[in-house]
Amino acid sequence: MGKGRPRAVEKGVLGQSSSVSLSGSLSIPPGPVYYPSEDEFKDPLEYIYRIRPEAEPYGICRIVPPKSWKPPFGLDLDSFTFPTKTQAIHQLQARPAACDSKTFDLEYNRFLDNHCGKKSKKRVVFEGEELDLCKLFNAAKRFGGYDKVVKEKKWGEVCRFVRSGRKISECAKHVLCQLYREHLYDYEDYYNRLNHGVVRSCKRGMHGEKKGEHGVESLSSKRRRRNTEGEKVKVCKVEEKEEEFDQICEQCGSGLHGEVMLLCDRCNKGWHIYCLSPPLKRIPPGNWYCLECLNSDKDSFGFVPGKRFSLEAFRRVADRAKRKWFGPVSPSRMQIEKKFWDIVEGLVGEVDVMYGSDLDTSVYGSGFPRVNDKKPESVEDEIWDKYCASPWNLNNLPKLQGSMLRAVHHNIAGVMVPWLYVGMLFSSFCWHFEDHCFYSMNYLHWGEPKCWYSVPGREASAFEKVMRNCLPDLFDAQPDLLFQLVTMLNPSVLQENGVSVYSVLQEPGNFVITFPRSYHGGFNFGLNCAEAVNFAPADWLPHGGFGAELYQLYRKAAVLSHEELLCVVAKANDCDSKALPYLKKELHRIYAKEKNCREGLWRNGIIKSSPMSPKKCPEFVGTEEDPTCIICQQYLFLSAVVCRCRPSAFVCLEHWKHLCECKPSKHRLLYRHTLAELKQLVLLIDKYNFDETLQCRDLQRQLSCSDDSNALTKKVKGGHVSLAKLAEEWILCSSKIFQIPFSRDAYVNALKETEQFLWAGSEMDAVRAVAKNLIEAQNWAEGIKDCLCKIESWSCNRSHNLEKVDLERVNNLLNLNPLPCIEPGHLKLKGYAEEAMILVQEIDSALSTSSKSSIPELEQLYSRVCEVPIYVKEMEKLVARISALKVWVDNVRKCILEKCPAAIEADVLYRLKSEMLELQVQLPEVEMLMDLLRQVESCQARCNEILNSPINLKNVEVLLQELESITVNIPELKLLRQYHGDAVSWISHFNDVHVNIHEREDQENVVDELKCILKQGMLLRIQVDELPLVEVELKKAYCRKEALKARRTKMTLFSIQQLMEEAAMLQIEGEQLFVDVSGVLAAAMHWEERAAHIFASEAQMSDFEDVIRTSEDIHVILPSLDDVKDAISMAKSWLKNSKPFLGSSFPAAHASRPLLKVEALKELVSQSKLLKISLEERTMIHSVLKNCLEWKHDACSLLEEVDCLFNMNNIDNALINGLIPKIEHLVTMIESIVETGLSLGFDFDEIPKLQNARSTLQWCSKALSFCTVAPALPEIESLMENAEHLPVSCASSALCSSLIDGVKWLKKASEVIPVSCNGKICKLSDAEEVLSEVQRIKVSFPLMVRQLLNAIEKHKSWKEQILIFFGLKTEERSWSKLLQLKELGKDDAFSCCELDMVLSETEKVEKWKLHCMDIVGHPVGVVNSLLDALVKIKHTLDRSLYIYNKSRGCNPRDLCIHCFSGIKDQELLTCSICKDCYHWQCLGATLGHQSDAKASVCSYCQFIRSGSISQNGGALRFGGKCAELNMLIELLSDAEGLCVGIEERDVVQQLVELAIACKECLKELTDFTLAYLDRDLSIISEKLTTALKAVEMAGVYSNHGNNRLELALKRNSWKVRVNKLLEDSQKPLIQHIQKILKEGLAISIPPEDHFWQKLIELKCIGLQWAENAKKVSMDSGALGLDEVCELITQGENLPVHFEKELKLLRVRSMLYCICRKPYDQRAMIACDQCDEWYHFDCIKLSSAPKIYICPACKPHTGELSVLLSVNKERSTGAKYGEPQTPSPPHTESRRKNIEAKPSLKQMMPAAMDHSNILRYSGGIDCLLWRNRKPFRRVAKRRAEVESLSPFFYIQR
């Protein structure tokens, strides 16, 4: 249960659909609807079980409850508020994938670098902005890739993804296509091949690096790391070794199993392939990126939390949204659905809606009644309670009898507790199925309907496949997309791909059921409120198992443990017979799975096992949190595997190998139930299920077969062993343990060995029995020892901090019979127990009721008990008795000594009395307590006597005075005191109010005070005398209050009269207040008399108004005042209504006023009779009505005359001439009377009738005029259009009908005549049919009949010419004659097969010529006709063929090879190589720069000899579009079907023959060139020059021939460049040779080629020497110096140049220090004078001095001895063997005057660390040795030495 214009859904993108297919157009079938009866509706689960076989194939159904089902809405609509989520509806489907552009750029750049050898441009610009290649690639992937987008022209849709919300031009589509083709096409091909397994580069894990040939790391396994910025980072071996321990899996937190650790190629985070969601079976090829790097947080899609709304505020938002989309009208279902799917597909723009979804009803409240919720006042208690307990109440549904979720204890939101949904228009719930494949029930409380779509569970796999095919980019970015509930897909797309989809429209008050694994989604039609919950009947169980496996596959946390639910339900034993088969089958499945897994663990060496700790509430699911598997995140209820190396990590049995890398023997199996217990659960179901089926018997057989313990074996050294055999051996060994004295180690070891047996089935019951006995014996023996140890410890120390042994525990151990094992200590323990039992008997005797022990005696007994080392529980009773006695005595003494009144509660005394009786106390305090109690009882009796009779105030006061000093708080006495205080307070309050009560102005407050006093007085328990006086004063106060009200506000006359009568009765009428009221009453009575007089006399308006003015001064509500006002108002209203009618007699006002109604005038006349005031306007209204009635009479007479004319039946030619004048006369009369009627200003019904008659008469006059003329077709059509607007009453008359029929015939006749057909050609039969209809019409049109006959004659004449033309032979038919017949037929002919044939044949010829022109084009210099162009191309082929023939030895002609002419006055130039001739004018600037004509070389020879790669075209290039040979052949075959002979076809025939000849010649030359392998390039140069000239000359080409020529030219260019490389004086680099070899491999140079073999030879020699040089340069002086020099000489003499290797060897030949060794990473120091370097160890230097002078510069005695010893060692020891080179002498040319600079030693710290010396000395490889020469020591510059000081040593 749980965030423009229409665009089509493209074929191959969203299914195979080419257009938008909404539910309305594809008619999605409806889901089933059920109407249960009252009886069927009682049990929801039973009813759903009955309809399931019919409804489940739909995946959804709707249930309409009986009419009696009307639950009240449980929420307060005024106070209800809720949070919302914002849903971007336009992005539910048509959204780009949330891909991270940085990751895409990283992968794209790697592709360019590795596969294209180039780097990407910094920016790709589209429409002035940088183009996001990532979005473009994903958009094209969404629509099927580049080829499919191009084929189906989907670049507009792609552009919409890249640039949303903008207009898309054709130019933009084209530019985007070109950009994709340029930048992403090759990457798409690579991406597709990679995903289909074509790219074979294997992804390595953490240990995946291997060596390829020659020790080079293979490309398939080696990869470069990248840091977070995408830069390359080298990974050395040391780093990889550390990474092996440091890299951890982000899912399970383990760094183990590195061989299957998959590293992200961007962030370097790791995941095991089995921890991914879903898991991978192997390392994927190519680069891999995690979901965090693939998905961008910026573009991620989801439903964003929105505002919090009240229901009224949300209603306003929803209403505005609906008005925005559909206006005030109510849209249909099809309109709403179509608009919704247009929005979803991104065609309408951005649309955001709010949805109050997933509202937890335990927080926000439920729409159904609940027991603990507040009941609305409008709902009856009976109704509320009825629906609180209803099984259809969604709060009750999950826990009904028969629901598997009854066992779930905690409230899971959405599953056990319903969710509330408040929706608006288009708010959506996306495609999904329920958690754990539950059923779901949704109830719509109120509001607009909710539209559902469903795919049944049997087609879930097909649904998922279509979703992945339609939205590939979204699923690539989020493989678990369907779990996110944020994606929609048009259901019509699913239908087109063969997936069944059904629809349901849920109305308010309806239930919707979705079935297990049924994908469903939908949206709301407007504001509504729904509630939903999950439920799980027994038939859900198999689906729940599938859901658990799905969660395990996708590594999703489950809502609850499916295994725990099964076990709890099976143990509960409350399932009916229908549920038992499902439960048994599912239990057997998990039993078999658990059995296989546990046996597999045992076979793999996991023999340790332990039971899990029991749950506190095993009868419910989810009361305690079970551990989860770190791999698949599933609850581990039945079993788990752990290891001591990771104590907090648990895995399920399927993933035990991924826990750690420890041996299996160190792992431990944790189990909650043994296999025997699980099997017992299955058999328990059989016991309940008496109706055993065949399926159940099969399950029993499977269970019995699976329990064969002998089948469980594993390999051991020397053979196999079974679990049963090991168990038998263990039983034999364990039985002997009971026969020896107890040894804890023996028992522990024996029980430890049972761990590999106890988890198994019932075959291990014998082992369990022995193990149980061992545990009992061990516990008994250890209990005996523990008790003795505690007793002895306490006896020695007698410390209160030490715990004693409980006597009850000791007895339990000693009473066990027979003894479990042999333990000698139990006899000693028995002695201690007997001693304790004696004390127990003494305590019981002392505490008995017959005992009279004193407190000292009891205390002495207690001290004896404390000395015993065993704890007895009777000691607590003894302590309690002693303590209680002491407390009782203290409490009694306090009560007796108390002096304060009422300080002691009476209950305390009675409690002490009861304690005295319980304790059996014999103490002096008892009698004193009894005296005090007697006083209390006497006081209570007197108080009760007064309280039980009427209470007198004086008697109460006397009693209270007597009992004032008593110390006990007696409740009766306290009550009398309270009554007395209340009476005194009441009397005082009344006396305060009664003072001057009649003078107060606030009589309202007086009334309230007196009422309160009266009410309080009635409640007094003591009688008071002032109570009757209060009642009288209250009546007076009421009267004064009404009088004050009459003075302030107006009252009715009757109310004032009653008020004065009441005042007289109370004798207060003399007060001033009532005197004023009587004066007002007299004035009101006088006004009433005057009003009655003017009504009787029907006075003028002024008299009535004067009476109204007089009433304003009287402060009374007068009864007749309303009648007077009504009379005036009625008169004024009548005058206002009659004003327009009185003004109608003035014509000047007619134009600006609306027309009046005659009925309104009649109504005014009738109303005037009811007026009670005399008015003059009555007479005027009567006059206006008379004029209107007279006009209506005249109008009706004229209409009758018009009707007589329209009813004429016979219209002949004689009558037509007389009808027209008569019609014109009637039109004039109608216009006159209409003008008169309008001048009256009334809306007469006759005026529209007269106007309709006038327009009809005018139309008839126009139609009659066509009888004497031949009108044009537009005039006829105009008249017909006017006829459609004629009034129906007039058009149906006889005259109009006849004329309309005639005009219709006239229109038909005009349309069939070819001259007036306006492009639409009719058939001859149509014309003849129209001619035959002349007899039918009643009006004749002679001129039109004559035109029709002439058109038929012309058609027949043209048809005879056509027959003559096509009777000729094909070659005799001319193209010009055919065109002439075509034009003539367009003008004169009717539609016929001959005309179609002429047009068809003409179109064929014209299309053939256009096609020919498209192929040929317009050559340079040809602008007229196609024939000229073909002739020019033929000339080029002739010249091309001449060039080929010339190369074969034909006699050359002294002609220009370009223009084929030998004009004598123009000088010919001859190429010195190919001997072809050219005119200077033909060449232009090509050879103009050469002064010597004889030594000139043409551009073609230059091109071939130079070995260039491309040629931009020479002097012979054909100026124009070259035709392709195959297209000309196809064109020639198309010309065979033409019906006329054309000259162009013959020329094309000649072109094809010449082109085929040229093609053969070209093939001969290219075949020879490609097969040539020798060294001499001049032979193939001549051939290629000839071919190039001929090809560029020809106006026709062959694709195959040109491709072969291009390949030959590339090979020639390659050979020319190789030849130059070999003959060049400068040695080539090895990289240059490798590059050229790579280029040769690309153009398939044969291995036998001379130049290829030469390059291979150079490469092998060079690489062999370079490898040897690298080894020598890194050998630290192992090779002798002479051999190094020899190697340098070899390198200098190689035909290949190695600059880097020679440089390294020269550095290697430099010698240092007195040991004459090359640089070898040891720490060194430089002399401050000669700058020579010395090793620290060679010169016996332990630390660096501030200034160092070498012995050669300043030899001292000590230093000289060191130098001599070193020289001696060098001469004698092999370790210091000096190379055979002379020591370089000190030169006197050393610079003496050195500028004052800080020396090397001055720049160093004070002390030196030898470890740091070694660490920093590695930087010596950065020294610049360019100035050093072999065998000679040269001083370095001081600046260089100082800059390198950190690399040699560091001082502290």
Side-chain angles (χ1 to χ4, degrees), residues 1364-1561:
I1364 294 172
F1365 177 79
F1366 281 100
L1368 301 174
K1369 296 181 180 180
T1370 303
E1371 59 272 10
E1372 295 176 354
R1373 302 173 193 163
S1374 68
W1375 169 241
S1376 60
K1377 180 62 177 177
L1378 183 62
L1379 290 176
Q1380 182 182 356
L1381 288 173
K1382 172 187 172 184
E1383 297 300 326
L1384 190 61
K1386 286 182 178 180
D1387 294 336
D1388 298 340
F1390 289 102
S1391 177
C1392 58
C1393 59
E1394 290 83 358
L1395 181 60
D1396 294 339
M1397 182 174 63
V1398 169
L1399 295 176
S1400 174
E1401 294 298 334
T1402 307
E1403 185 180 6
K1404 283 182 182 178
V1405 175
E1406 290 175 345
K1407 283 185 177 180
W1408 187 88
K1409 287 192 173 185
L1410 288 174
H1411 189 199
C1412 185
M1413 183 60 73
D1414 290 340
I1415 295 172
V1416 172
H1418 293 276
V1420 177
V1422 178
V1423 294
N1424 293 327
S1425 66
L1426 171 64
L1427 185 61
D1428 294 340
L1430 292 173
V1431 171
K1432 182 172 180 63
I1433 292 175
K1434 179 177 177 295
H1435 292 161
T1436 63
L1437 290 174
D1438 291 336
R1439 282 180 276 175
S1440 179
L1441 200 57
Y1442 165 75
I1443 294 173
Y1444 283 126
N1445 293 333
K1446 179 184 174 185
S1447 66
R1448 294 178 178 175
C1450 298
N1451 293 328
R1453 291 177 286 175
D1454 194 12
L1455 298 174
C1456 175
I1457 197 70
H1458 181 271
C1459 61
F1460 260 49
S1461 65
I1463 303 175
K1464 296 181 180 180
D1465 57 350
Q1466 291 188 13
E1467 183 181 359
L1468 289 173
L1469 295 177
T1470 302
C1471 175
S1472 60
I1473 298 176
C1474 62
K1475 307 304 180 184
D1476 286 333
C1477 299
Y1478 300 89
H1479 286 130
W1480 279 99
Q1481 184 178 356
C1482 294
L1483 289 176
T1486 305
L1487 292 176
H1489 63 281
Q1490 298 185 16
S1491 58
D1492 189 358
K1494 295 181 180 180
S1496 64
V1497 178
C1498 67
S1499 60
Y1500 298 97
C1501 294
Q1502 289 179 358
F1503 171 71
I1504 298 299
R1505 295 298 191 278
S1506 65
S1508 300
I1509 298 177
S1510 62
Q1511 162 91 341
N1512 293 325
L1516 303 182
R1517 178 175 287 277
F1518 176 67
K1521 179 180 179 182
C1522 290
E1524 210 277 324
L1525 175 58
N1526 292 332
M1527 297 181 71
L1528 288 177
I1529 295 173
E1530 182 182 354
L1531 187 67
L1532 194 61
S1533 65
D1534 292 343
E1536 294 177 358
L1538 302 180
C1539 68
V1540 294
I1542 54 176
E1543 189 176 356
E1544 290 84 351
R1545 177 170 56 187
D1546 301 332
V1547 179
V1548 171
Q1549 175 70 39
Q1550 297 174 12
L1551 290 182
V1552 170
E1553 294 173 354
L1554 291 172
I1556 290 174
C1558 292
K1559 179 182 177 182
E1560 293 298 326
C1561 295

Side-chain angles (χ1 to χ4, degrees), residues 739-904:
Q739 302 170 7
I740 61 176
F742 174 76
S743 171
R744 187 178 185 280
D745 294 338
Y747 278 75
V748 170
N749 293 334
L751 290 173
K752 189 174 182 180
E753 292 177 3
T754 62
E755 292 180 358
Q756 66 173 320
F757 309 117
L758 298 181
W759 55 265
S762 57
E763 69 276 5
M764 294 293 133
D765 286 344
V767 176
R768 294 189 186 94
V770 176
K772 183 180 179 182
N773 294 336
L774 283 174
I775 293 172
E776 291 177 353
Q778 181 182 2
N779 292 338
W780 180 82
E782 289 181 349
I784 294 291
K785 289 187 174 184
D786 182 58
C787 291
L788 287 174
C789 180
K790 288 182 178 180
I791 289 172
E792 293 171 356
S793 298
W794 192 90
S795 300
C796 295
N797 299 324
R798 294 186 179 272
S799 173
H800 294 290
N801 296 328
L802 295 178
E803 182 183 1
K804 289 184 178 183
V805 178
D806 194 347
L807 179 60
E808 184 177 358
R809 181 189 175 194
V810 172
N811 289 334
N812 291 335
L813 292 172
L814 295 177
N815 293 336
L816 200 62
N817 189 23
L819 298 180
C821 64
I822 301 173
E823 173 53 51
H826 82 282
L827 296 176
K828 187 176 181 181
L829 182 63
K830 189 174 182 181
Y832 286 112
E834 290 174 352
E835 181 183 351
M837 289 301 296
I838 295 173
L839 281 176
V840 170
Q841 294 174 2
E842 292 182 10
I843 294 173
D844 292 339
S845 175
L847 297 179
S848 63
T849 56
S850 60
S851 175
K852 300 294 182 178
S853 301
S854 63
I855 294 177
E857 291 174 350
L858 294 176
E859 288 178 345
Q860 183 181 5
L861 180 59
Y862 173 73
S863 64
R864 288 176 57 201
V865 172
C866 291
E867 297 298 324
V868 177
I870 297 178
Y871 171 77
V872 292
K873 61 182 180 181
E874 288 77 7
M875 183 178 67
E876 299 295 335
K877 298 179 183 179
L878 181 61
V879 173
R881 173 64 65 88
I882 296 172
S883 176
L885 286 173
K886 292 180 179 180
V887 171
W888 186 87
V889 171
D890 291 341
N891 291 335
V892 171
R893 290 175 179 173
K894 287 180 182 178
C895 293
I896 294 171
L897 298 176
E898 184 61 53
K899 300 299 182 183
C900 296
I904 304 171

Side-chain angles (χ1 to χ4, degrees), residues 663-682:
K663 294 180 180 180
S665 58
K666 294 185 178 181
H667 294 177
R668 178 176 293 274
L669 168 67
L670 302 180
Y671 59 90
R672 192 173 303 279
H673 299 291
T674 65
L675 292 181
E677 292 169 344
L678 289 176
K679 180 184 176 183
Q680 193 62 33
L681 276 180
V682 181

